[in-house]
Amino acid sequence: MTTSQAPGAPQAARPSGRDRAEWLILPANFVTYLGNGIQLMGASLLVLEEQRTALSVGWLFIVMAIPQVLLSVLFGRLVDRFDRRMMCLLCDVASALAALSLPVALALGASTQLTAYAVTFALSLISAAFNPASNALVRERVRYERLGPFNANFSMSTQAGSLLSAAVGGFLIQVFGLTPMFYFNAATFAFSAVCWVLLGRKPRTSAGQAAEEGAEAATPTGGPVRRLGLLLAVGSVNITVSNVLLVVLVIQVFKEHAGIFGLVDALAGVGMLIGAAVYKRISARVSNLALAAFGFTGNAALIAVEPFHIASLMTAIPFAAFAFGFAAISSRTLLMRAVEDSRSGRVFGTVNAVSLAAGLVVTITLSYLADHRSVALAFWSLSILIGVVPLAVIATMRRFYAAQERTATATTPVPQPAN
C-alpha cells in the first residue's frame, strides 16, 4: 500500500531538512534513557545487596509503576494547559535533584532500601508528568512530514540509550563504585534540561506564513485516536511482558548465565535499531498502517518460536525486534498525526497510564501461567495477544485510511504540461 499526503498537510514549499527542535529533542531523549537505565540498575543493586531477594527488586519496579499509572492522565491534562517545553525543563531539574538526593542521603546514613524506594518513587512521579509533556512537545515542534523519520530517530536514540546504560553503568561501578553512578545520572538530567533551554520558545507563525508553508503543525490529519492509542499501548505491553519472560526463559529454562541474557538483550536492541533505520527508508512509499500490520504480525510469529531452544531464541529475537520496530514507530507516528495539538498531552498521558496498568496485569497473568504451566505457554499466549489484538484494531481502521487516501489523491493538483 502506498501513501499519499493527507488533507491539510501538503508538502509544497516545506524544507526537507531537520529543524532545530529535532537536533535538541533527540539528544535529550538519548541521555534521559541512558540515565534512567543507570538509575534503575543502581537502585536494583542497592536493594539486592541489602535484602538479597528477588521480591525486593520486584517491589522496586512496582513502586516505579504506581505513580505513572495513577497520575499520567492528570498530568497529561495539565500539559495541555501549560508550556510543554517549560514542563520538560522543570521535570528534568526536579529529576536531577531527586537523583542527587540518593547518594547524599546514603552518605548521611539513611536506610539504603527506603532511600532507594523513595527516590525511585519520586523519579517515577516526575516521569508521569515528563512523558506526556515530552510527547506533546514533539507533536508541537516537529513538522508533519518529519514525524515518521523523527520517530524512527527517536526510537534509535531510545534503544541506544537503553543499550549503553548497562555498559556505562557497569563501567562506572567497576571503576568508581556504586554511589558515584548516581551523580552521573543527575548529570544526564542536567544535560537534558540544557537542551530544553536551548530549544527556546515556539516561534510565532502568522497565518500567511502558515499558508505559504502548507499547513500549521497543529493541524491533525484526523483518525480514530482511541484505537491508535490502543495500538501503541499494545506495543508497550509487549516490551514490559517480554522483559520479564525473557529473564525466566534464559536463566531458569535454558540454564544460561547472565552474560547470555545480556547478549540476548543486545541482539534485541540491535534489531530495533536496524528496524528503525529501514523504516526511515521505506516509510515514504508504504503506509504506516501497513507497516504496523507487518510489524505486529512478524513480531508475534517470531515470539512463538523463541521458547524452543536457546539457539532459536538468539536467532529469532533480532528479527522479532526488527519487526517490532516497524510496529512501534508506525503506531506512534499514526497517533501523532491524528491527535490535535491542543489535547496531545492528555492523549499520551492516557496511553502511558493504560500501557503500564495493562502491562502489570498481563505480566502477572503470564508469570502465573509460566510458573504453574510452562514458560513456553506464556510465550505463546503473548504471541497470540500481540498478533490478534493489533490486527483486529488495524482491520477496523482500514476503511478510514483508504477513504482518506482517496480524498488526498482527488484533491492533489494534476501537474500541467509546460508550454
Side-chain angles (χ1 to χ4, degrees):
M1 189 189 311
T2 58
T3 57
S4 57
Q5 185 69 22
Q11 299 196 26
R14 291 274 183 99
S16 59
R18 296 185 189 180
D19 290 327
R20 182 185 180 190
E22 294 190 46
W23 291 110
L24 292 169
I25 293 174
L26 291 174
N29 181 66
F30 168 76
V31 298
T32 295
Y33 274 88
L34 178 66
N36 286 346
I38 290 174
Q39 171 73 29
L40 189 57
M41 174 195 293
S44 299
L45 290 174
L46 280 177
V47 171
L48 192 61
E49 284 181 0
E50 182 172 289
Q51 297 297 313
R52 299 192 178 279
T53 64
L55 182 61
S56 62
V57 179
W59 275 108
L60 194 69
F61 282 85
I62 293 174
V63 167
M64 182 176 65
I66 288 175
Q68 297 190 57
V69 171
L70 297 179
L71 298 174
S72 287
V73 177
L74 173 62
F75 282 130
R77 291 181 179 275
L78 293 177
V79 165
D80 292 332
R81 298 182 180 181
F82 298 100
D83 188 317
R84 284 88 180 264
R85 181 187 70 96
M86 187 57 64
M87 286 195 69
C88 288
L89 174 61
L90 293 176
C91 285
D92 273 332
V93 171
S95 295
L97 294 175
L100 282 175
S101 69
L102 197 155
V104 171
L106 293 179
L108 295 175
S111 166
T112 299
Q113 183 178 6
L114 291 179
T115 302
Y117 285 151
V119 171
T120 299
F121 181 87
L123 288 172
S124 179
L125 183 65
I126 299 167
S127 182
F130 180 82
N131 183 281
S134 60
N135 278 289
L137 187 64
V138 170
R139 174 65 184 84
E140 175 186 288
R141 297 297 182 95
V142 177
R143 289 180 283 116
Y144 173 90
E145 69 274 13
R146 288 290 305 165
L147 278 175
F150 172 83
N151 282 328
N153 291 331
F154 191 87
S155 176
M156 293 171 73
S157 67
T158 298
Q159 292 303 314
S162 299
L163 285 173
L164 283 177
S165 65
V168 173
F171 173 79
L172 291 175
I173 293 173
Q174 187 70 29
V175 176
F176 302 106
L178 186 57
T179 302
M181 184 172 64
F182 297 108
Y183 291 105
F184 179 82
N185 180 42
T188 63
F189 287 118
F191 177 88
S192 181
V194 170
C195 290
W196 305 131
V197 172
L198 294 176
L199 181 60
R201 295 181 179 274
K202 182 182 178 182
R204 292 187 177 183
T205 305
S206 67
Q209 289 174 319
E212 182 180 350
E213 293 181 357
E216 292 184 44
T219 303
T221 62
V225 172
R226 291 182 180 179
R227 281 173 282 175
L228 291 172
L230 176 59
L231 208 60
L232 189 60
V234 171
S236 298
V237 170
N238 182 22
I239 294 176
T240 302
V241 179
S242 294
N243 286 339
V244 175
L245 293 182
L246 281 172
V247 175
V248 178
L249 181 67
V250 173
I251 304 299
Q252 293 188 1
V253 177
F254 295 151
K255 307 297 182 185
E256 299 290 347
H257 52 80
I260 295 297
F261 176 73
L263 179 58
V264 168
D265 192 49
L267 288 171
V270 170
M272 280 283 290
L273 287 171
I274 296 175
V278 174
Y279 170 90
K280 289 170 62 177
R281 290 185 173 273
I282 68 173
S283 59
R285 300 186 300 273
V286 185
S287 74
N288 278 289
L289 202 65
L291 291 175
F294 163 78
F296 281 115
T297 302
N299 182 245
L302 289 161
I303 286 175
V305 306
E306 290 176 356
F308 288 110
H309 191 272
I310 184 64
S312 64
L313 171 62
M314 297 185 73
T315 301
I317 198 162
F319 294 100
F322 174 86
F324 181 73
F326 283 87
I329 298 169
S330 300
S331 301
R332 178 179 164 87
T333 301
L334 284 168
L335 181 57
M336 282 191 166
R337 287 178 172 174
V339 67
E340 296 93 342
D341 180 51
S342 61
R343 65 189 190 104
S344 57
R346 73 186 72 180
V347 168
F348 281 101
T350 302
V351 169
N352 188 47
V354 171
S355 300
L356 289 169
L360 287 175
V361 172
V362 177
T363 298
I364 293 171
T365 302
L366 295 188
S367 296
Y368 180 87
L369 191 63
D371 291 339
H372 293 83
R373 296 289 183 177
S374 71
V375 175
L377 187 58
F379 268 84
W380 295 333
S381 299
L382 177 62
S383 174
I384 293 172
L385 175 67
I386 299 304
V388 172
V389 175
L391 290 183
V393 173
I394 289 171
T396 66
M397 296 189 292
R398 288 185 62 187
R399 182 176 298 178
F400 172 84
Y401 283 102
Q404 188 182 70
E405 185 171 347
R406 287 194 299 270
T407 302
T409 303
T411 56
T412 301
V414 178
Q416 298 297 322
N419 292 329

